[in-house]
Amino acid sequence: MSTDLSLHHRRRAPTPAEMAAIPWLALLGANERERAEHELKVGDALTGDFVCRIGRPVTYWFGVVDGLLKMSSDSPDGHSMTFTGVPPGGWFGEGTALKREPYRYNIQALRKSVVAGLPVDTFHWLLDHSIGFNRFVMNQLNERLGQFIAAREIDRMANPEVRVARSLAALFNPVLYPGVGELLRITQQELAYLVGLSRQRVNEALTALATQGAIRVEYGGLRVLDLTALRANVFQTS
DNA sequence: TCATTAAATTGTT
DNA sequence: AACAATTTAATGA
């Protein structure tokens, strides 16, 4: 089930609909945009495919057009630690792209996904030529820093309901993941895998959150009704 | 397009 | 972990 580096296999030019799902294109000037659109590639990643692996040289700056990815790292004892999920509209790897260093984490598809890639050289060229692009990247770095700090707090929480709530709130982040919108396409099994809980525990937590009116549970996805209420679950104990 | 069947997902124990 | 119920996707007329 788990093959390798699918983006490097069946790459193709993005369709207009896929272009529209790339949030930073709209921030570019005409010249920059034309070049970026010309250099952008997309690839289909099947469930279990690796988009990038720790230690591999940087080839692209990646973004999710559709589907769901998982960002994780390997600890020395062989276990892998999941950092976060990456839903549609999310772009990642700018840190390693900036320094042209090897990737520091694995990115794996949790389900069949469409992944876009901007060649590193074009990424640098855009940094040199577009102020809008620089703003996007800076904003991206800042927002993700906030997420990683929040993630450490989430890890310390014992209460499953709170963990699910905060993890969900992170995935609904409109700055990092503008492609998500009101409805996050994620199964309870996938969410369980991301949060590190059993599916039944996640199901229980989701039902409770739905009762609170924070979300609505739908088949194959979750609809956010009150993002503030989701985040506010920090202080709830049971 | 509709009806039937298979597959995926959810809710519950 | 296993099961039944529900929803979606696939198939073929």
Side-chain angles (χ1 to χ4, degrees), chain A residues 113-127:
Chain A
S113 303
V114 180
V115 180
L118 184 74
V120 182
D121 290 337
T122 315
F123 176 81
H124 276 93
W125 184 85
L126 282 174
L127 285 178

Side-chain angles (χ1 to χ4, degrees), chain A residues 3-49:
Chain A
T3 50
D4 216 278
L5 295 168
S6 70
L7 189 62
H8 299 276
H9 298 151
R10 297 171 188 170
R11 286 183 253 168
R12 60 167 205 273
T15 67
E18 288 165 344
M19 289 284 194
I22 298 173
W24 47 267
L25 278 177
L27 306 174
L28 306 182
N31 288 342
E32 292 87 27
R33 179 165 184 156
E34 191 184 358
R35 173 156 176 180
E37 289 185 344
H38 185 255
E39 304 271 348
L40 271 165
K41 294 279 180 291
V42 293
D44 294 294
L46 301 179
T47 304
D49 280 353

Side-chain angles (χ1 to χ4, degrees):
Chain A
M1 177 190 260
S2 169
T3 50
D4 216 278
L5 295 168
S6 70
L7 189 62
H8 299 276
H9 298 151
R10 297 171 188 170
R11 286 183 253 168
R12 60 167 205 273
T15 67
E18 288 165 344
M19 289 284 194
I22 298 173
W24 47 267
L25 278 177
L27 306 174
L28 306 182
N31 288 342
E32 292 87 27
R33 179 165 184 156
E34 191 184 358
R35 173 156 176 180
E37 289 185 344
H38 185 255
E39 304 271 348
L40 271 165
K41 294 279 180 291
V42 293
D44 294 294
L46 301 179
T47 304
D49 280 353
F50 282 91
V51 175
C52 65
R53 281 176 185 272
I54 294 172
R56 297 290 177 85
V58 178
T59 47
Y60 292 97
W61 180 51
F62 290 112
V64 181
V65 171
D66 190 40
L68 188 64
L69 307 183
K70 180 192 74 167
M71 185 182 292
S72 64
S73 77
D74 299 322
S75 47
D77 54 327
H79 290 90
S80 81
M81 180 181 180
T82 298
F83 288 130
T84 181
V86 189
W91 283 75
F92 53 89
E94 59 278 343
T96 43
L98 274 171
K99 299 184 186 173
R100 293 177 186 269
E101 285 178 347
Y103 291 113
R104 297 186 165 187
Y105 36 72
N106 293 320
I107 298 283
Q108 203 171 4
L110 278 179
R111 65 160 70 168
K112 191 174 180 295
S113 303
V114 180
V115 180
L118 184 74
V120 182
D121 290 337
T122 315
F123 176 81
H124 276 93
W125 184 85
L126 282 174
L127 285 178
D128 290 338
H129 289 83
S130 168
I131 290 185
F133 189 75
N134 276 274
R135 282 219 191 88
F136 180 89
V137 172
M138 212 178 289
N139 205 19
Q140 185 89 358
L141 287 167
N142 183 51
E143 199 70 30
R144 207 197 323 282
L145 179 61
Q147 281 226 334
F148 278 119
I149 290 172
R152 294 208 53 180
E153 293 177 344
I154 294 174
D155 278 340
R156 273 194 275 258
M157 296 182 209
N159 187 327
E161 190 181 314
V162 177
R163 293 189 54 154
V164 171
R166 295 289 316 262
S167 300
L168 259 187
L171 291 175
F172 275 116
N173 183 321
V175 177
L176 284 176
Y177 313 122
V180 172
E182 306 272 293
L183 178 68
L184 175 66
R185 297 268 306 167
I186 189 173
T187 66
Q188 299 183 7
Q189 179 62 71
E190 290 164 344
L191 184 59
Y193 193 46
L194 279 181
V195 181
L197 297 169
S198 71
R199 184 174 70 81
Q200 37 283 54
R201 201 68 195 79
V202 167
N203 178 273
E204 219 176 336
L206 290 177
T207 306
L209 290 169
T211 306
Q212 290 174 28
I215 61 169
R216 186 178 332 152
V217 179
E218 297 183 9
Y219 185 88
L222 301 164
R223 190 173 297 276
V224 65
L225 302 176
D226 190 344
L227 190 51
T228 311
L230 257 192
R231 295 187 175 125
N233 261 274
V234 200
F235 303 108
Q236 196 143 340
T237 31
S238 181

